[in-house]
Amino acid sequence: MNLFDLKGKTAVITGGIHGLGMAMAEGLAQAGAELIITNNTLEPLETAIEYYKSKGYKATGYVFDVTDEVEAEKQVEAMEAAHGKIDILVNNAGIIMRVMAIDMKVEDFRKVIDVDLVGVFIMSRLVAKGMIARKSGKIINICSMMSELGRDNVSAYASAKGGLKMLTRSLATEWARHNVQVNGIGPGYFATSQTEPIRVDGHPFNEFIIGRTPAGRWGDPEDLAGTAVFLASDASNFVNGQVIYVDGGILATIGKPSNE
């Protein structure tokens, strides 16, 4: 199974300090990759790096804001100088603001777009320069089911993630000729610390997700690891511009009839 072997590879995971980002980073590390974890604040990054090292993974942290192009360029240059090259980029950093569109401030809408879409463009463009020069690289953008569906309270997030799907396709179109594959992962609803308060029997949203998901459960963060390894490895060398939805089948169905 050498197709999935990431030994000797260096992977940058933006915002890989908890939850789904950490689960994907662990999957890459278990396949042999060296981890570079970024975050915009120091304390949670240090905690995450300590965790990775306690598991025996090789991990280094860098503090910067992915929306700051000047600082991001300095940090990417520092990464390449320290680690030799960046083979894999997972654009995981993101934010969400749950506000009805009619009430949302324009500056808040812009902030979500800036982090979830513009930040991905900045990091992809910076890291891709080295990948293109080496004629080898993998970029994985963390999209969402909101890349395909709308929902109350998330107009900015859905706009960013819909744009991210098309950015993924556009970058794949430009960079595939250089043997750089750009793809996305669209997570469904996962059991994380953020969703723990609503994942209880009798909670309306918990019942909705379990009933709406053909698999009949929330996803485990580890469910994303295999997809991340696939898209980061030689197994996906002819996969370009795709978004793989890891959602238990939600997007495959209109849902159960009300009389079931």
Side-chain angles (χ1 to χ4, degrees):
M1 300 301 291
N2 290 336
L3 280 175
F4 299 94
D5 188 0
L6 299 181
K7 292 184 181 69
K9 304 290 187 180
T10 301
V12 174
I13 301 92
T14 66
I17 60 168
H18 57 68
L20 304 186
M22 180 170 276
M24 289 184 285
E26 281 203 77
L28 299 179
Q30 288 166 5
E34 176 184 348
L35 303 179
I36 298 175
I37 308 298
T38 82
N39 196 53
N40 61 351
T41 54
L42 178 60
E43 187 175 344
L45 178 61
E46 288 180 330
T47 300
I49 296 300
E50 287 177 7
Y51 169 80
Y52 288 124
K53 288 183 176 179
S54 74
K55 303 287 282 188
Y57 309 138
K58 191 172 182 181
T60 310
Y62 289 78
V63 180
F64 66 98
D65 184 341
V66 296
T67 69
D68 184 337
E69 183 181 8
V70 173
E71 184 61 23
E73 184 171 17
K74 290 179 183 177
Q75 295 297 329
V76 168
E77 288 175 354
M79 292 174 196
E80 291 176 332
H83 302 273
K85 58 185 172 51
I86 297 171
D87 303 287
I88 302 153
L89 169 64
V90 181
N91 283 307
N92 171 73
I95 61 171
I96 187 169
M97 294 187 186
R98 293 182 172 89
V99 183
M100 294 296 282
I102 199 72
D103 299 318
M104 191 167 206
K105 297 178 181 178
V106 172
E107 59 262 37
D108 288 337
F109 188 94
R110 286 194 176 117
K111 184 176 181 179
V112 175
I113 298 293
D114 204 27
V115 176
D116 293 1
L117 183 58
V118 179
V120 174
F121 172 74
I122 289 171
M123 287 300 296
S124 297
R125 178 177 163 275
L126 292 172
V127 173
K129 291 178 180 179
M131 293 178 171
I132 289 170
R134 294 189 307 275
K135 297 290 185 182
S136 177
K138 303 282 186 175
I139 297 176
I140 304 169
N141 296 327
I142 306 308
C143 297
S144 165
M145 288 195 303
M146 299 304 106
S147 298
E148 303 289 345
L149 300 172
R151 212 184 120 198
D152 283 357
N153 296 334
V154 293
S155 59
Y157 182 80
S159 298
K161 294 299 185 176
L164 184 54
K165 177 182 73 172
M166 295 311 300
L167 178 62
T168 299
R169 292 178 176 178
S170 295
L171 297 182
T173 300
E174 291 190 22
W175 298 341
R177 72 199 70 175
H178 303 293
N179 194 35
V180 176
Q181 290 81 51
V182 184
N183 293 288
I185 298 175
Y189 289 93
F190 278 78
T192 64
S193 58
Q194 291 94 330
T195 61
E196 187 174 0
I198 62 176
R199 285 186 287 106
V200 293
D201 291 343
H203 192 289
F205 196 73
N206 184 60
E207 301 301 319
F208 168 71
I209 292 302
I210 291 174
R212 181 70 177 80
T213 306
R217 65 174 178 87
W218 292 74
D220 293 323
E222 294 77 13
D223 290 331
L224 286 176
T227 307
V229 171
F230 166 66
L231 291 178
S233 70
D234 288 345
S236 61
N237 281 349
F238 202 55
V239 180
N240 297 86
Q242 303 301 309
V243 179
I244 300 177
Y245 291 97
V246 186
D247 66 355
I250 290 179
L251 289 175
T253 179
I254 197 172
K256 295 180 181 179
S258 59
N259 62 351
E260 267 195 31

